[in-house]
Amino acid sequence: MIVNRHQWKQLRECCLNDSTFAQLQGILNLKLSPYELETSSLKTWEDLQDLADNSEDIFVEYDINLCYVKINLAGAIALGIPPSEIVGKRNQDFFNQQAGEIDKFVDYVLKTGENIRVNQEISLSKGAKIYNSLYTPIKDTNGQVTGVMGVCRDVTHLRQLQDTSNPILIQAQMQSQHYQCLTKIIKKINQCLQLDTLLQTTTLQLQQYLNVDRVGIVQCYGNAESIRGKYIAETVLPEFKSLLNFEITTKELLGFNPAEKNQQALVVSDIYYSGFNPLMFQWMRDYQIRANLGIPLYKKQHLWGFLWVYNHQRRDWKPDEIEFVREIAKYLETAIEQRELGQAISQELEQRKTLTRVISRIRETLNLDQLFQATVTEVRQLLNADRVGVFYFNPNSGYGEGEFISEDVVAGFGSALAQKVEDHCFSDQFYNLYQQGKINAIPDIYQANLQDCHRQILAQFQIRANLVVPLLKGQKLWGLLCIHQCKYPRYWQQSEIEFVTEIAKNLEVALRQINYMEQVQEQAKKVAQLTERQKSSEQQELLYQVIEKIRNSLDISTIFNTTAAEVRAFLNADRVVVYRFSSDWSGYFVAESVTEGWNSLFDTVPMIQDSYLQETLGGRYRDNQTYAVDDIYTAGHNPCHIKLLEQLQARSYIIVPILQGQSLWGLLAAYQNSYPRHWEDEEIKLLAQIGTQFGVALLQAELYAGTQKKAEELAQDLQQTQSQLVQSEKMSSLGQLVAGVAHEINNPVNFIYGNLSYVTDYTRDLLELVKLYQKQYPDISEEIENKMEDIEFDFIIEDLPKILSSMKVGADRIRQLVLSLRNFSRLDESEVKAVDIHEGIDSTLLILQHRLKSKPDRPTIEVIKKYGKLPKVECYAAQLNQVFMNIISNAIDELESLSKESLDTRYLAISIQTQLVPPSQEQPIERVRIIIQDNGHGIPEPVKNRVFDPFFTTKPAGKGTGLGLSISYQIVVEKHQGMIECQALPEEGTEFIVEIPVHQIG
């Protein structure tokens, strides 16, 4: 029997000694193959072309998609299919269920780039055959795996002989393969020095070897009563949702009973027949888990975690697979303990180094901020926490308020710096604890015995686990050193607590050393703040956009900004500004164009006081001289001048004067900020020419602006005078008309209303008399009976009281209308009086009631009242009613226009809301706010800006005068010292807001 070198080695390992192997050689007539296939250096099929064509072994090439690229004649004969019909297809096209076993080894070589030799039993057309297969990667010039070469030798006769002669050989061979794979994976695991790398490598190797969807490792924490877990390592196929960092917060999702010792493997071929609890069953369905294999991991007889193998399809786990995972888990337990011990030793060394650096830093620096920042950064990195910060208590808050003054936080979590913390339940629960120097370690804030108010503060900063060490300054609690875990709970180790305690003690030493420096630093801080306030003033905004041509506009601001933008673009400079002198030869920027990434000088330098320019009344620029500097640090500037230029972020610059006539008006400057620059003569001349042209344009623009301003003032005065005359006459006529109508109606209505009660009583008495008469004299004459029928006497008895009741209702309605007309006109209240605003609004609505009712071409306009609780307001009641009349009438006009535009019936509504606005720093008097809103088209932005202009209207000719809202503006703003504004609500309509003081001043 001829065998290859691998088979020869396997048979030797099955024998106890050389003499036994010699006997086996004689029995089997074993001979080593004259050639042993060595394919480790294969790059293409052509490397084996001659051997493949003349061999009885099967030679096959796969691509990265597991498809056949080539197969030799011996392979095609074994399959019973021509080679042309095999190329391009996959194993599943020929072997059905066995295809997965073959693909598993090919896929392993594709992923790892390593050789693998296996024995495979394959069903062919001529029966089952056993092949000893060697799969080797094919790599390109860059070392990338581009395919797999397989060489399969028929060893069926060897297996049959082994079965009949010595069954132990079969088991030995399988154990040898099992041992080789196990050894290979353990070797890769041993190469990992860090625990996280070790765990990730384990999951990757198991997933590839078992050809499953997912392998994960769960670490447990907590005690047996409240045990929890978290997936800390995982390898999963890309089409499945990852479980990495998933937290197990309930025992039902563990899969094992944590109280049971020395648990065995959990083997589930199909979760539908597993008997899992409903929560576990649903969780597995959510993550597409159909079969699973789990092994508990122990560390010193305590449960450390679990090793899980998952598959999305049903899978009958083989005994050798279960044993393989069990052996990996057993080795993993030892490896985890070794790595954790190594990490603990390394961490202790790092802690000592950190303590040494902190102590050295305390000796070397008196800057508390730098000390804190360096310390929190190192502590966070060493403990692998999400946030480490130093919290400082406000000394006047009774330990209920404070803020974080130093912090180092992982990206993805919000900063706690500069956030004021108000936790008034802190002093009740923690002050005495921290004042005594005790430490507070909380694994999970939601499981700890905390007051709700304190837990809410912690949740505000995304804190899940908290380790807090007090910082004492002398004998008083000064602050806290806080270590936060935000992503998940964390059980703090004793070594971590001791390390943080040592850090806190050294920080307390620093606090005592730096204590005497705080007053000096505070004083310096105050001086610096005072200097900064003196240099700062209100910032200016850039109001107008740049247009293309300088001469296209006579507006001064537009000219400024256009010039700056065009000069900067032409010179490719970082910044171009226009600077204007004040009367004292200080100055400020009026226009700026700056590239992205540099601060705007409007924000940083609102006012400049250059002593040279002030003392020389403009210096060289007054004589129309230009000035260019290539580098401010080599130009010989005074230190104070360099400081000013650094504040402007300038490294190189050109400055040219802007002369208005013969007077120096300002400067045009170009800055290069990022590096020195040599300015060419042409660039300097160009900027000087633009400055000259700018001065001419400035004269023209200012002349035009002055003329335009005068014309606008005259026009505004004329319109205001006209509108006031119209308003006065209109209000007088309307008031007299309304008052007269109300008076004329009031007299007859009072007469009718006053006599209705008597008529009702008389009618009732007469009807009772008739009823009594009918009762006493039931027999009546035929003539009376005919008369009663003619006049429908029974109906009169029934209807007459109803008629009188209706007359009373009508009279009441007329009286209410008269009262509303009188309230609206209020001729007797021309002076300021306290009135009910709601009464005036209701009177206006009553007058406009006929316009709110439905019409053939539109539905009813609904009025929605949202009245707040208001006091009586001092105002000119009749004039204020006119404001309501104008706004509500315009709203009705808009809704009627909207209804005519569309054939569809649309909901039409006017909302009226009133509010009491409390006093504020800007408005020290209580104010009443009235909001009137419709659901019409809304007002376009250009129209909104002009609605209060006199004689401006959007209504058709003859329908509007353009004075209503202008008069309303004068009534509210000038008469009542109030505010009225119009808001355009997109797709919602128009909203008018009226505010007037509750009490008028003066």
Side-chain angles (χ1 to χ4, degrees), residues 390-572:
V390 175
F391 183 83
Y392 169 70
F393 286 107
N394 186 334
N396 300 320
S397 66
Y399 298 98
E401 298 178 5
E403 61 182 326
F404 283 91
I405 59 174
S406 290
E407 173 196 58
D408 189 62
V409 62
V410 174
F413 295 99
S415 174
L417 292 177
Q419 293 194 34
K420 300 293 183 181
V421 179
E422 296 183 2
D423 189 357
H424 297 291
C425 61
F426 171 87
S427 57
D428 298 335
Q429 190 171 10
F430 297 107
Y431 169 70
N432 291 329
L433 175 74
Y434 293 141
Q435 180 63 47
Q436 297 171 13
K438 295 182 179 180
I439 301 163
N440 191 18
I442 301 176
D444 190 341
I445 67 170
Y446 297 106
Q447 303 297 324
N449 184 22
L450 301 176
Q451 295 183 13
D452 290 340
C453 56
H454 185 63
R455 185 180 289 108
Q456 291 174 2
I457 294 294
L458 297 178
Q460 176 184 343
F461 293 100
Q462 303 171 285
I463 300 170
R464 188 69 184 272
N466 199 17
L467 175 58
V468 180
V469 182
L471 296 174
L472 301 177
K473 187 176 182 180
Q475 300 299 319
K476 290 186 177 182
L477 180 63
W478 180 87
L480 305 170
L481 177 59
C482 304
I483 293 86
H484 298 157
Q485 200 69 39
C486 302
K487 297 178 183 177
Y488 43 78
R490 174 168 176 172
Y491 286 83
W492 305 100
Q493 303 298 320
Q494 184 61 33
S495 60
E496 295 173 335
I497 297 175
E498 293 174 356
F499 167 68
V500 176
T501 302
E502 289 296 323
I503 291 291
K505 289 180 179 178
N506 283 280
L507 291 180
E508 289 176 350
V509 172
L511 285 173
R512 290 194 294 270
Q513 291 180 350
I514 301 175
N515 184 30
Y516 76 96
M517 289 292 298
E518 288 184 343
Q519 294 181 353
V520 177
Q521 291 177 347
E522 184 65 23
Q523 186 64 31
K525 184 178 179 181
K526 291 180 179 179
V527 172
Q529 290 176 346
L530 179 61
T531 303
E532 186 65 25
R533 283 196 297 268
Q534 291 174 346
K535 292 180 180 178
S536 300
S537 64
E538 292 187 2
Q539 300 178 348
Q540 301 181 8
E541 296 181 356
L542 190 61
L543 301 177
Y544 299 99
Q545 296 181 348
V546 177
I547 60 176
E548 294 182 356
K549 303 294 182 179
I550 293 178
R551 303 296 182 180
N552 284 354
S553 173
L554 292 176
D555 181 80
I556 296 175
S557 297
T558 304
I559 295 175
F560 290 167
N561 288 283
T562 302
T563 303
E566 291 192 353
V567 170
R568 186 188 63 77
F570 184 84
L571 296 180
N572 193 25

Side-chain angles (χ1 to χ4, degrees), residues 658-674:
I658 300 173
L659 298 175
Q660 185 178 7
Q662 298 299 319
S663 302
L664 179 61
W665 183 92
L667 303 173
L668 178 61
Y671 296 109
Q672 198 69 39
N673 299 339
S674 51

Side-chain angles (χ1 to χ4, degrees), residues 651-722:
R651 186 68 183 270
S652 175
Y653 63 88
I654 308 173
I655 299 178
V656 301
I658 300 173
L659 298 175
Q660 185 178 7
Q662 298 299 319
S663 302
L664 179 61
W665 183 92
L667 303 173
L668 178 61
Y671 296 109
Q672 198 69 39
N673 299 339
S674 51
Y675 49 83
R677 172 174 174 173
H678 174 68
W679 302 97
E680 302 294 336
D681 292 339
E682 291 79 10
E683 295 174 333
I684 300 173
K685 291 178 181 178
L686 174 64
L687 199 64
Q689 292 172 355
I690 294 175
T692 301
Q693 294 177 0
F694 188 88
V696 174
L698 184 63
L699 286 172
Q700 296 176 349
E702 287 190 348
L703 177 61
Y704 174 80
T707 305
Q708 188 179 40
K709 183 178 180 181
K710 189 63 177 178
E712 288 176 354
E713 289 175 354
L714 293 174
Q716 187 175 359
D717 291 341
L718 177 61
Q719 285 190 338
Q720 186 172 359
T721 302
Q722 291 174 335

Side-chain angles (χ1 to χ4, degrees), residues 38-44 47-48 136-139 149 151:
E38 296 295 340
T39 58
S40 60
S41 61
L42 287 179
K43 295 184 178 179
T44 64
D47 294 337
L48 288 175
T136 305
I138 301 174
K139 300 181 180 179
M149 182 73 72
V151 182

